[in-house]
Amino acid sequence: MILTFFLVALGFLSTPVILRRPGRTIQPQLWTRLCTSSLIVGTVLIMVGGLVSSLATFFTLVGEHRIAQDCELMFGQFSQAYSPISFVALSLVPLSLGLGLRSLARYRRVVRRAWVEPGMGEHINLDNNVESIVIESTPPRAFSVPRRGLRSSQIVVTTGLLATLSPDQVDVVRAHERAHINFGHGRYLATALVVERMFWSWAPVRLATAELRLAIERSADESSVHQSRQPRSVLQSALVRLALGAESPALASFSSLAGLTHRLDAMDRETATGASLGSWAAVFLSLTALSIGALFGLSQIGHGGFCLLSMLHNCALG
């Protein structure tokens, strides 16, 4: 049971990589949400499976041998006390949670420090609590800062960017950053950072989070050419001119190097309406199969947990 559960969890974590070809042909914002959901579900399942696998060893170490035996009975051979899997789970679950929380705290710190104070630069209030800000800086940069508390969202560009790009290119860059704010991409970037840090030693997860970042940028690219009403070639030329200015992975940035070649190629076609039936079927059927496996595994674990609690309750009454 536990082995199947882990395989389903790894399937969810690998979905952005395995399905990247059909996924890139569907609407970018939808693919962004699917990638994010898949990473979150996979992470939760891994943590649940690891917790269940480590229960018998944990209770044995604290001297509760009867409870440890009940855990082994309820959850099968992969939850045996002192088994290699149980020891690894007992070590890695708290470590992964700690790394994830630390990464989330780092993300919040970067966003807080990136917020431009009113006394710095030229501030222009836009609608819906969004500020457009120009700061004095030679390197051509553009990034967005999501809203936090009473602080408004910000679209920040440098004077170096204004000097480097044409007015049309500046318009599409600002529209790109506005799309990051409107779509709430900061949450998706936070997810990528946390999951990547929690499973830092597993290469497929790094590839999956890279695919999520690419989907985020593609989503903002598509939105920017529609909102700014500029030709797609304008965004292509702006990308080429600014691509060397990589920003922090915690901030949504127009000049992100994430999948630059694919972003440039995608501007030659309307990917939002180009998804084939085969692409939809591949994504839908794969996620449906994984979801069924996850629900089955959770039901088995839930049943085992209920039985374990019933046994403990009966022991307490006796």
Side-chain angles (χ1 to χ4, degrees), residues 9-215:
L10 294 177
F12 271 109
L13 286 173
S14 304
T15 291
V17 179
I18 297 173
L19 299 179
R20 64 180 179 271
R21 279 196 173 184
R24 289 177 182 180
T25 66
I26 66 178
Q27 206 278 335
Q29 182 60 14
L30 176 59
W31 180 232
T32 299
R33 291 170 179 166
L34 289 175
C35 289
T36 305
S37 300
S38 180
L39 290 174
I40 292 174
V41 171
T43 299
V44 171
L45 294 181
I46 285 286
M47 291 296 103
V48 171
L51 179 63
V52 171
S53 299
S54 65
L55 285 177
T57 297
F58 172 78
F59 283 118
T60 300
L61 291 175
V62 299
E64 296 290 345
H65 299 282
R66 176 63 183 275
I67 299 178
Q69 292 175 356
D70 292 339
C71 290
E72 293 175 349
L73 178 64
M74 290 297 102
F75 301 119
Q77 60 177 337
F78 287 98
S79 61
Q80 298 291 315
Y82 297 134
S83 69
I85 291 180
S86 185
F87 262 121
V88 170
L90 186 61
S91 303
L92 292 185
V93 167
L95 175 62
S96 296
L97 287 174
L99 290 174
L101 291 174
R102 181 180 178 183
S103 181
L104 182 60
R106 176 181 175 272
Y107 165 79
R108 294 172 65 89
R109 184 167 60 251
V110 169
V111 171
R112 185 173 62 251
R113 291 177 177 175
W115 198 79
V116 181
E117 297 292 341
M120 298 177 58
E122 178 185 348
H123 291 241
I124 300 175
N125 290 320
L126 305 177
D127 57 323
N128 299 325
N129 295 316
V130 179
E131 286 185 310
S132 177
I133 302 171
V134 178
I135 59 175
E136 289 284 344
S137 181
T138 302
R141 300 286 187 270
F143 59 91
S144 58
V145 183
R147 181 178 181 180
R148 293 189 69 247
L150 298 178
R151 293 182 170 184
S152 59
S153 303
Q154 294 181 332
I155 299 171
V156 183
V157 299
T158 64
T159 52
L161 181 138
L162 298 180
T164 302
L165 301 183
S166 68
D168 287 346
Q169 291 172 331
V170 172
D171 286 344
V172 80
V173 169
R174 283 189 166 129
H176 176 100
E177 299 304 332
R178 183 63 178 267
H180 283 312
I181 293 172
N182 291 341
F183 291 141
H185 284 163
R187 298 190 299 269
Y188 303 142
L189 287 173
T191 299
L193 286 169
V194 170
V195 174
E196 191 173 60
R197 188 58 177 165
M198 289 180 69
F199 304 105
W200 57 272
S201 62
W202 200 43
V205 170
R206 294 196 296 273
L207 295 175
T209 55
E211 180 64 26
L212 172 56
R213 290 191 179 96
L214 171 58

Side-chain angles (χ1 to χ4, degrees), residues 157-303:
V157 299
T158 64
T159 52
L161 181 138
L162 298 180
T164 302
L165 301 183
S166 68
D168 287 346
Q169 291 172 331
V170 172
D171 286 344
V172 80
V173 169
R174 283 189 166 129
H176 176 100
E177 299 304 332
R178 183 63 178 267
H180 283 312
I181 293 172
N182 291 341
F183 291 141
H185 284 163
R187 298 190 299 269
Y188 303 142
L189 287 173
T191 299
L193 286 169
V194 170
V195 174
E196 191 173 60
R197 188 58 177 165
M198 289 180 69
F199 304 105
W200 57 272
S201 62
W202 200 43
V205 170
R206 294 196 296 273
L207 295 175
T209 55
E211 180 64 26
L212 172 56
R213 290 191 179 96
L214 171 58
I216 290 171
E217 295 304 323
R218 283 282 297 107
S219 176
D221 286 345
E222 289 291 337
S223 177
S224 65
V225 296
H226 287 93
Q227 295 299 320
S228 66
R229 302 183 184 277
Q230 298 291 346
R232 301 166 78 84
S233 59
V234 173
L235 184 138
Q236 287 179 309
S237 60
L239 273 174
V240 171
R241 300 194 71 175
L242 298 182
L244 296 180
E247 300 288 346
S248 166
L251 295 175
S253 169
F254 177 82
S255 56
S256 170
L257 291 174
L260 176 61
T261 302
H262 178 74
R263 290 172 66 189
L264 291 171
D265 291 342
M267 285 296 100
D268 291 329
R269 61 186 186 277
E270 290 283 352
T271 56
T273 58
S276 66
L277 181 60
S279 296
W280 280 108
V283 173
F284 176 77
L285 292 177
S286 298
L287 291 178
T288 299
L290 287 173
S291 299
I292 292 173
L295 291 174
F296 177 76
L298 287 172
S299 67
Q300 294 291 100
I301 289 177
H303 175 72

